[in-house]
Amino acid sequence: MLLKEMLLSLTVDQIKLVASNWGIRGCSRLKKKGLVDKLSNFMLDDNNLREMLLRLKPDELKAVLNSEEVCAKYEEFLSSPIRFAVSVGLIFMINGQYVVPDDILDKHSMLETQEFKKENERFNRISDYIAAFVEFYGIIPAEKAVEIYQMHTGDELTVQEILDIADDCYRPPLFAQTYKECLAHESLFDYYSDGRNFDELYQKQKDKPFYIPQRDELFEYGNAYYPKLVPAGVALAEYFVRHFRINAETAVEIASEIQLVINLDYELMLILQLMIRMGVVIRTLKEMKDFATYLKSLARTVRLWALRGHNAEELDVKVPLELELENYTFSDNAKVGRNDPCPCGSGKKYKKCCNNK
């Protein structure tokens, strides 16, 4: 089947979404046939198609080129390498199978040149670095990002190039955006679009030296989905398994969440509430003391955005959570009384809070 035929099988709203993903504007008043004509002509233009194909990852390119292998069932879609290709109309679901339009397949020769392969590899490498940079640092000036990239790869790169790729209209790097000539994590703009969270973090970072990781550490620690647990995080997970009798996978997940939120300056009460939601409830003051020891160690050794990738030990400073733990008042009683303040820090009595969880 040709691209036009496959596009006509979609609803008007679905076609408009594909057009939007290609950056095509001025479609709101077009009827279905006119919309399909405009979109297919744009997509099959060699320059436009090449620009989109450059942004595909190796497994995505393979899926587009080897259409007979693209037969994933719908339930496998979210974890498959075809999700992005489907969103831009390079792959369609027809009769329960995913297929590539014949006229897209006819363009395969443009993907087989050495020039395309090198360009595709370079674009994806830079994009991956940008995603790792914002996970590792939160904020990094584009000039510094270029310096580290060139140190790691030996590939010449300009500040404008890295900003352009971070702002790519087709496929920007994961969780990255640009602001004030910097690469920034998009979570800094979740609640306030005016950049106040960016400015607050930037002030905390000010005058701090950059920690420069090796490539493997940058990508291990800057992994948005599976960040590497520091040794203190591993010890905390092992404590959860040993003391709360939960499985290792769940314990690592909880420790990873705690490690992530320390970066966001979470207070102790919020961390305890996070643990409760994930099934770990501290019921006695002895448990609280033990947990505080592990948490303080983690707070001192996790790499922080506010310290530009350093941890508190390396710069010999104290982070807010560590200071809070040092000032936390522990009772000498072995257990919390029903009418005592709950150790989770909620301010409620224990009997009306964690006692029933």
Side-chain angles (χ1 to χ4, degrees):
M1 291 179 67
L2 298 177
L3 176 62
K4 278 189 178 182
E5 296 175 85
M6 293 190 180
L7 287 172
L8 284 168
S9 72
L10 304 178
T11 67
V12 170
D13 285 342
Q14 288 172 327
I15 299 168
K16 286 181 178 179
L17 181 58
V18 174
S20 176
N21 290 337
W22 281 81
I24 300 174
R25 301 291 179 262
C27 298
S28 58
R29 296 186 179 182
L30 291 177
K31 294 187 176 179
K32 189 172 187 177
K33 186 179 182 304
L35 184 58
V36 166
D37 287 342
K38 180 173 183 173
L39 177 55
S40 60
N41 289 338
F42 188 91
M43 289 175 62
L44 291 172
D45 176 86
D46 284 353
N47 290 329
N48 295 335
L49 182 59
R50 188 178 190 278
E51 283 300 308
M52 182 61 78
L53 292 171
L54 275 175
R55 285 145 179 82
L56 298 189
K57 306 295 183 185
D59 54 351
E60 295 169 338
L61 277 174
K62 182 181 178 183
V64 171
L65 285 172
N66 299 284
S67 59
E68 291 182 1
E69 296 180 16
V70 186
C71 296
K73 295 299 179 183
Y74 185 78
E75 58 267 20
E76 300 169 352
F77 173 61
L78 292 179
S79 60
S80 75
I82 64 173
R83 188 176 180 182
F84 177 74
V86 169
S87 74
V88 293
L90 296 175
I91 297 177
F92 290 78
M93 187 180 186
I94 305 293
N95 297 325
Q97 292 185 333
Y98 290 103
V99 294
V100 180
D102 291 336
D103 34 2
I104 295 289
L105 279 176
D106 289 342
K107 304 278 189 176
H108 69 87
S109 59
M110 75 169 63
L111 311 183
E112 295 173 352
T113 66
Q114 282 300 114
E115 179 188 4
F116 177 86
K117 290 175 182 176
K118 286 182 179 178
E119 233 180 301
N120 173 256
E121 181 184 312
R122 184 172 186 268
F123 182 93
N124 280 300
R125 181 172 62 245
I126 296 170
S127 181
D128 289 344
Y129 262 92
I130 293 170
F133 282 144
V134 299
E135 287 293 337
F136 194 87
Y137 294 111
I139 299 169
I140 180 172
E143 188 175 5
K144 189 68 179 180
V146 166
E147 177 189 323
I148 297 172
Y149 172 83
Q150 292 183 160
M151 184 190 309
H152 281 184
T153 66
D155 177 30
E156 290 295 319
L157 180 66
T158 67
V159 167
Q160 192 57 53
E161 275 185 294
I162 203 168
L163 289 172
D164 286 346
I165 291 177
D167 273 336
D168 185 64
C169 64
Y170 289 149
R171 194 178 199 181
L174 198 62
F175 303 132
Q177 65 181 79
T178 63
Y179 189 71
K180 296 183 177 179
E181 297 292 303
C182 292
L183 309 177
H185 198 284
E186 66 177 21
S187 65
L188 295 172
F189 304 90
D190 282 349
Y191 298 107
Y192 302 105
S193 59
D194 60 4
R196 69 181 73 178
N197 288 339
F198 173 97
D199 293 333
E200 182 181 340
L201 177 59
Y202 192 83
Q203 286 303 312
K204 290 177 182 178
Q205 291 184 339
K206 196 175 179 181
D207 301 326
K208 305 283 193 315
F210 275 94
Y211 174 80
I212 311 296
Q214 295 296 316
R215 183 191 183 284
D216 288 348
E217 183 182 8
L218 173 66
F219 281 92
E220 269 191 328
Y221 207 89
N223 187 318
Y225 297 115
Y226 303 102
K228 183 181 179 182
L229 274 177
V230 297
V234 174
L236 177 60
E238 291 172 348
Y239 165 70
F240 287 151
V241 171
R242 188 172 61 251
H243 189 79
F244 294 96
R245 300 291 189 268
I246 60 177
N247 65 62
E249 185 178 348
T250 301
V252 168
E253 183 183 354
I254 297 171
S256 295
E257 285 293 327
I258 293 172
Q259 179 171 302
L260 282 171
V261 301
I262 287 174
N263 226 345
L264 303 176
D265 284 344
Y266 266 40
E267 296 176 350
L268 178 59
M269 179 185 74
L270 295 176
I271 291 175
L272 292 170
Q273 290 173 346
L274 168 69
M275 289 168 55
I276 290 169
R277 289 197 300 272
M278 299 184 78
V280 173
V281 181
I282 293 179
R283 300 183 184 278
T284 70
L285 287 172
K286 182 181 184 308
E287 288 178 345
M288 186 63 206
K289 288 180 180 180
D290 291 341
F291 172 66
T293 300
Y294 286 103
L295 187 60
K296 182 177 178 181
S297 177
L298 181 56
R300 283 205 56 74
T301 56
V302 68
R303 299 201 172 280
L304 299 174
W305 287 358
L307 301 183
R308 284 183 162 170
H310 286 279
N311 61 43
E313 283 189 347
E314 290 168 342
L315 295 187
D316 194 24
V317 297
K318 291 188 176 182
V319 296
L321 179 58
E322 183 185 1
L323 292 171
E324 186 180 0
L325 287 167
E326 287 181 355
N327 294 323
Y328 190 86
T329 302
F330 296 97
S331 168
D332 291 333
N333 297 327
K335 289 191 174 183
V336 186
R338 283 173 50 78
N339 292 309
D340 289 338
C342 187
C344 80
S346 66
K348 299 178 182 178
K349 291 183 178 182
Y350 180 58
K351 66 182 179 182
K352 293 187 176 182
C353 192
C354 294
N355 183 49
N356 296 319
K357 292 188 169 73

